[in-house]
Structure formats: structure tokens, C-alpha cells
Amino acid sequence: MKIALMDSGIGLLAATAAVRRLRPDADLVLSLDPDGMPWGPRTPEDLTARAVAVAEAAAAHRPDALIIGCNTATVHALPTLRARLEPGIPVIGTVPAIKPAAAGGGPVAIWATPATTGSPYQRGLIDDFADGVTVTEVPCWGLAEAVEHADETAIDAAVAAAAALTPDEVTTVVLGCTHYELVAERIRAAVQGAGRPPLVLHGSAGAVAAQALRRIGSRPEPAAQALGAVTVLLSGREGALPVPALAYAEGRLLQEASPVR
């Protein structure tokens, strides 16, 4: 089995680690775009063109499925990527976990990039899945960039700023950017109120990994031997995981695998 994942940067690590835990025997292809990152400020057309190039680089390795490990790329490029690659390669997008978060009753905060916060896309998800639940959209200025570079000081500052915008009564936080899942416990510590019930965090990585297996008709086998190799593509060129990836447990988990030869 071979699963490919794509993103402009290391935001794909959360979903990659989730796949690794479900199927440690699966080969992984990680397709990043250091030449074109960040994707967020790009126009939808430009972002889609970059995403197509990154996806086609991954597709050349003949994966059984491709995960878009990025919320922004899913919004803008998912239809195009599915039109190009399916049915030969199933394409799985990443959507903020608003539906399961709202099912808990809230109040809910959605932490997302400034570009996504207040967007018609996110507002549509809220309207569809969080009717009757109090939802606060929290723009997280600079957090994805800080996580991408493993800049500890900048991460702390961005998390603190977003926490200050999060109402005290919030019981659930949706991590609406894949980068945020890499610092989930720091977010929990910043938002958790003293004497309040444990804060619930909802990311997308586990659900996306499970959906990829379902799309190819495979089951989780977490006890399988960890023989799956990892191939890293950097704007189409074979390379190594970016150094900042190793600051996170998810990146160190992948480092244990040998590259495909």
C-alpha cells in the first residue's frame, strides 16, 4: 500500500502521522512545495496551479490514494485535483471538524488562518453543521507560519493572541488549519480555563487518514510491522524532511522510516 500526502509545507505531518499509526506498513509519499510556499496569500488560480504540480509529482509515484493535507488547498483545488486524478487515484480533502465539534453542543471556537476566518467557505460549514450552536471564529495571525518554521517564541505569541480572542465559556476548539494540530497541546493549555471541564479539541488528521483507507478498501492494522518507507518530494525533487519537521513528534515518527530506494 502507498499513500501520498500533499501540502505547501509541514502541515501535512499530522495526517501523515495518523496514516502511519493506522498502517505502519504503508509506504508514504510526502509532496511539499517549498518553492511556492506559503499558498495562503496566493490567488485561487495560482494556488490551484501549484497544488496541481505538487499532486502530479506525487501521482508519478503511483500511490493508491492522495490526501490533501491542507485546508486552504482543499477549498480551492479539490475539484480540479479530483477531475485530473480520479478514479485512478482517490483524492481526499481536509475539512475543519465543525460537524463533530458542534455535535457536542458548544460553545465552539474555530481557530483558523485569517484568510479562512469569516470566509464564505467556513461560514457555509457553520451554517450547515452548527445551527443552534454558539460559534466564535478566531483568526490566528501568524500561527501557521510560526509552526512551519518551528519558531517557539512566535508560536507562543500567536497562540496567546488567539487565546485572548477566544471566549472564556468555550468548551470546544476546532483546529481549522492542519499546522495547528502540531501544537494542539499548547493550544489546549492556553485556552483551558481554571476549574472548567477539560477542553475538547477537534482536528481532522485522524478522520482524513481513516477516510483514505476506506476509499481504497483497506482496514486499519496498527499492529502491522513498521516497514513502510517514506519518500519526500520538495517541489517535485526528491529530498529530506525539512529540518523544522523534526521539532514535532509527528515529524520524528516519520524520521524512523527509511526513504524509498
Side-chain angles (χ1 to χ4, degrees):
M1 182 192 306
K2 184 181 290 185
I3 305 291
L5 300 97
M6 58 169 280
D7 188 6
S8 62
I10 64 173
L12 52 64
L13 285 178
T16 305
V19 173
R20 188 79 172 151
R21 293 185 184 106
L22 291 177
R23 289 301 299 252
D25 57 333
D27 291 336
L28 301 173
V29 178
L30 312 187
S31 190
L32 289 70
D33 188 26
D35 293 355
M37 68 176 298
W39 283 350
R42 292 180 177 274
T43 65
E45 296 77 16
D46 191 18
L47 188 156
T48 297
R50 300 297 309 189
V52 166
V54 168
E56 290 185 340
H61 288 255
R62 303 175 64 86
D64 298 296
L66 171 68
I67 293 171
I68 306 174
C70 173
N71 297 90
T72 302
T74 298
V75 172
H76 296 297
L78 180 59
T80 298
L81 293 178
R82 282 184 166 162
R84 281 177 173 262
L85 299 178
E86 292 188 343
I89 302 174
V91 179
I92 297 90
T94 299
V95 177
I98 294 173
K99 183 176 181 179
V108 173
I110 304 172
W111 283 34
T113 63
T116 300
T117 301
S119 66
Y121 164 73
Q122 185 160 287
R123 288 286 170 85
L125 292 175
I126 294 169
D127 291 344
D128 289 344
F129 300 121
D131 186 36
V133 175
T134 300
V135 176
T136 301
E137 296 180 87
V138 177
C140 301
W141 296 94
L143 181 53
E145 294 81 0
V147 173
E148 178 68 32
H149 296 100
D151 184 330
E152 298 292 326
T153 301
I155 291 170
D156 286 343
V159 168
L165 299 176
T166 303
D168 292 340
E169 64 271 18
V170 159
T171 61
T172 306
V173 173
V174 175
L175 304 177
C177 170
T178 54
H179 281 79
Y180 302 170
E181 297 191 50
L182 301 178
V183 291
E185 292 311 310
R186 293 166 77 161
I187 292 171
R188 185 191 304 279
V191 178
Q192 177 69 61
R196 297 187 60 83
L199 185 74
V200 179
L201 298 181
H202 282 277
S204 302
V208 166
Q211 175 66 2
L213 294 184
R214 283 193 292 269
R215 288 290 304 273
I216 63 176
S218 294
R219 294 182 178 181
E221 293 184 15
Q225 282 189 287
L227 300 176
V230 179
T231 298
V232 178
L233 304 175
L234 304 175
S235 299
R237 308 175 299 273
E238 288 203 27
L241 275 176
V243 171
L246 303 181
Y248 305 103
E250 293 85 349
R252 294 190 295 272
L253 175 68
L254 300 177
Q255 190 185 36
E256 297 170 3
S258 300
V260 172
R261 300 188 186 281

